[in-house]
Structure formats: C-alpha cells, structure tokens
C-alpha cells in the first residue's frame, strides 16, 4: 500500500503569473479522486481480486484553473480523509456527494476551512432557521440546518447552511458553511466543480498521463507529477502568449513551433531527432 502521508505534493504559483478568477467567491479548491489502471505485477496497487489500480487525490485551484495539491494511494484509498489535508485554512473545498460526511463538516469548521459539498437528497435535516429565497431564482431552499439524526449518531454538532436549487429538472442540495454569499453564488460555486472533471478528461486524453511507463509506486508518482508539471507549464505559456486557458489548439501550435525551431537549428542533436522521426514514419507505413 502507498502511504499517502509521505508523498503529498503541492503546486503553488505566484498570483501574478495566472489570473485569479472569482475573487468575489474566495479561494476555491475542487477535490476529486481518479483511478489509474495498473497491471497485476503492480502488487502494491491493491484494488480487488484480479484487478490492480492506483488512485490520485487531487486539489484543483478553481480560481486559476490548475492543480494545486496531490496525494497518492492504492485504488482502495478512501477519498474523504484527504479533504482536510488538501485544504488550507480560509480555502473552500468543493466536492460531490461522495464527500458527504457529517463529522467532516464539523471538523472543517473547527479548522477554519470552508466547504461547498453536494449531499444526498434524502438526507435527514432539522431546520433551525429559514432564509428568504427569490421566487424567480433557481434556488428553492435556503436554511440553517442540522444534518442527520441524533438516534443514528450521525447528526452534525454544528449547523450548516443548506441550499437547494434546480437546473433542468434536477434538484441539487448543497451543504456549506459559507454564510457570507448569496444562495445563487453557492449554486455557482458548485457548478464550477465540473472544471476538475474537464481537467481530468483533457489531461488524460491529450497528455496520455495514464499510459503506464513505470511499474513501481514511486515511478508512477514521478510519471503523474511530470504530467502535472507539463500542464502547469502549458497553462503559463497559453496565458502569457495568448491570454487564454490551455487548449489542444495551442498545444499543437507549440509542438509545430518546437519542431520547426529544431529543424532550422541544424544541430547534430536535432538532425538525429529528425532522422529518428523519419525512421519511425517509414516503419509506420510499412
């Protein structure tokens, strides 16, 4: 098993390098996990019988659109314990229903860390105080509540704010301690959580970071970190040169530019690069 406590990694950039969006909403960090398919020889990547997987637990800076902190475990690694480890005091963690845990909501408030986390619609709630809602808003519920039941020993000790809103016929119930924002802003924050899903999809597809090169737990860790660093560099490049977020269009343009510069330089190293590229292309055709 990988010990997550000994291999956390943080990525911090100066706020002047990348634009800081949503400053009115505070410092937002989406939290999610992602499984990495392993092979049976990777015995440390425990998941289930005849299946091996590793898992990354990622904090994603929604304000700058970049990863901020990562932990590694085997595929069975639970995700909720990493919320507190990923967040810093003053930050707001944004998560889906898999992160609902009532004692976690209590402990985060004790630690000065905020949360905007979706909960199951059938969660028991005791209303302490209702807040007014705009009848023309997507928000249909806003109240101070206790979640869970005392007889089940799972009721929150500290109250939370519960916001309910509806989009395309789907009801979303969001637990939060952010009482400084409007209910519509809480709904907006949860919608931003999808940015981490889009990051995972783009990162896997275009950088192919989950194509196994290493087999050891530390080798895989280095491989994943290299992919994250590549993405950070691309984010800086796209912002500084084009004033926009990372896109495959800019990545392709950058690749062509690098190839042209290598070809025009005419160094022996570059000549070798193009000979190898030509040899590969000829093999591909045969």
């Amino acid at each position: 098993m990988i010990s997550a406590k000994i291999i956390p990694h943080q990525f911090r950039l100066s706020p002047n390098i990348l634009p800081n969006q949503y400053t009115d909403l505070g410092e937002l960090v989406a939290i999610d996990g992602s499984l990495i398919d392993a092979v049976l020889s990777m015995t440390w990547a425990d998941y289930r019988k005849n299946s091996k997987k590793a898992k990354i637990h990622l904090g994603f800076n929604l304000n700058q659109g970049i990863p901020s902190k990562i932990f590694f475990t085997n595929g069975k690694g639970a995700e909720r314990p990493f919320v507190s480890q990923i967040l810093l005091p003053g930050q707001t963690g944004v998560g889906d229903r898999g992160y609902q845990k009532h004692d976690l909501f209590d402990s985060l408030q004790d630690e000065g860390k905020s949360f905007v986390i979706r909960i199951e619609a059938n969660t028991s709630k005791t209303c302490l105080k209702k807040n007014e809602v705009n009848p023309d808003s997507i928000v249909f519920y806003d109240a101070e509540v206790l979640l869970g039941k005392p007889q089940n020993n799972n009721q929150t000790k500290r109250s939370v704010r519960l916001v309910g809103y509806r989009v395309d016929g789907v009801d979303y119930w969001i637990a939060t301690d952010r009482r400084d924002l409007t209910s519509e802003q809480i709904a907006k924050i949860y919608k931003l959580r999808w940015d981490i899903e889009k990051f995972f999809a783009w990162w896997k597809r275009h950088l192919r970071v989950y194509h196994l090169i290493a087999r050891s737990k530390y080798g895989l860790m280095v491989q994943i970190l290299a992919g994250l660093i590549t993405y950070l560099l691309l984010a800086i490049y796209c912002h500084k040169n084009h004033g926009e977020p990372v896109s495959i269009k800019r990545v392709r343009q950058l690749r062509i530019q690098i190839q042209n510069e290598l070809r025009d330089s005419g160094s022996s190293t570059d000549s070798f690069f193009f000979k190898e590229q030509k040899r590969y292309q000829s093999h591909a055709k045969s």
Side-chain angles (χ1 to χ4, degrees):
M1 177 176 179
I2 308 179
S3 174
K5 293 183 179 179
I6 63 172
I7 50 174
H9 291 271
Q10 298 185 58
F11 302 88
R12 293 190 182 181
L13 294 178
S14 165
N16 297 323
I17 295 179
L18 293 175
N20 191 17
Q21 305 180 75
Y22 319 119
T23 53
D24 58 323
L25 302 179
E27 194 173 348
L28 308 176
V29 180
I31 302 170
D32 205 356
S34 181
L35 289 169
I36 305 171
D37 289 329
V39 296
L40 292 179
S41 62
M42 298 166 69
T43 56
W44 54 268
D46 191 25
Y47 188 58
R48 63 168 65 106
K49 186 177 180 181
N50 296 324
S51 178
K52 298 294 181 183
K53 293 180 185 289
K55 183 183 286 186
I56 62 175
H57 307 265
L58 186 72
F60 188 79
N61 183 327
L62 291 170
N63 298 77
Q64 295 183 313
I66 55 172
S68 57
K69 189 180 289 189
I70 186 172
F71 289 80
F72 295 80
T73 65
N74 60 32
K76 285 186 176 180
E79 296 183 2
R80 294 171 187 164
F82 291 95
V83 175
S84 183
Q85 297 182 64
I86 287 172
L87 292 178
L88 296 174
Q91 293 181 331
T92 299
V94 188
D96 63 14
R97 286 172 290 191
Y99 291 95
Q100 178 180 353
K101 196 167 188 291
H102 298 167
D103 58 359
L104 174 64
F105 297 162
D106 288 330
S107 63
L108 287 175
Q109 293 187 77
D110 291 339
E111 296 168 7
K113 301 171 183 177
S114 294
F115 56 90
V116 172
I117 294 178
R118 186 181 179 185
I119 67 170
E120 298 288 348
N122 61 357
T123 301
S124 297
K125 46 188 174 287
T126 302
C127 181
L128 303 177
K129 175 187 174 184
K130 280 192 175 182
N131 302 316
E132 289 188 15
V133 296
N134 184 342
D136 298 323
S137 169
I138 62 172
V139 175
F140 60 83
Y141 186 88
D142 185 0
E144 198 73 19
V145 305
L146 293 174
L147 297 175
K149 295 181 178 180
Q151 58 267 36
N152 294 339
N153 295 317
N154 70 347
Q155 189 175 61
T156 53
K157 293 181 175 58
R158 301 184 61 165
S159 66
V160 300
R161 182 184 184 187
L162 185 62
V163 173
Y165 70 94
R166 183 177 296 115
V167 175
D168 296 331
V170 179
D171 291 348
Y172 296 84
W173 293 91
I174 311 300
T176 182
D177 67 328
R178 294 292 303 273
R179 300 171 178 89
D180 57 316
L181 302 175
T182 66
S183 53
E184 286 78 14
Q185 287 176 311
I186 298 299
K188 179 180 179 180
I189 287 176
Y190 185 74
K191 182 179 178 181
L192 291 173
R193 193 200 73 83
W194 295 107
D195 286 1
I196 193 173
E197 303 283 359
K198 291 185 286 187
F199 163 76
F200 274 131
W202 194 96
W203 193 52
K204 294 175 188 177
R205 178 181 179 185
H206 297 299
L207 295 187
R208 300 178 183 177
V209 290
Y210 287 3
H211 177 73
L212 290 179
I213 298 174
R215 296 290 187 270
S216 73
K217 57 186 178 182
Y218 291 104
L220 180 62
M221 178 186 71
V222 170
Q223 178 182 327
I224 297 300
L225 289 175
L228 289 173
I229 292 169
T230 300
Y231 188 87
L232 291 175
L233 293 174
L234 287 172
I236 295 170
Y237 167 82
C238 288
H239 171 67
K240 285 195 168 184
N241 290 275
H242 304 286
E244 59 189 39
V246 177
S247 68
I248 189 58
K249 172 186 174 182
R250 297 304 183 192
V251 172
R252 287 169 177 161
Q253 290 176 347
L254 180 60
R255 183 185 298 126
I256 292 171
Q257 178 184 337
I258 291 172
Q259 290 176 343
N260 289 339
E261 290 177 357
L262 286 171
R263 182 189 59 211
D264 294 341
S265 67
S267 68
S268 58
T269 303
D270 301 330
S271 298
F272 173 78
F273 172 82
F274 283 101
K275 284 179 183 178
E276 288 297 300
Q277 184 183 51
K278 189 174 181 180
R279 184 172 66 83
Y280 173 80
Q281 291 171 345
S282 63
H283 281 306
K285 292 178 182 178
S286 59

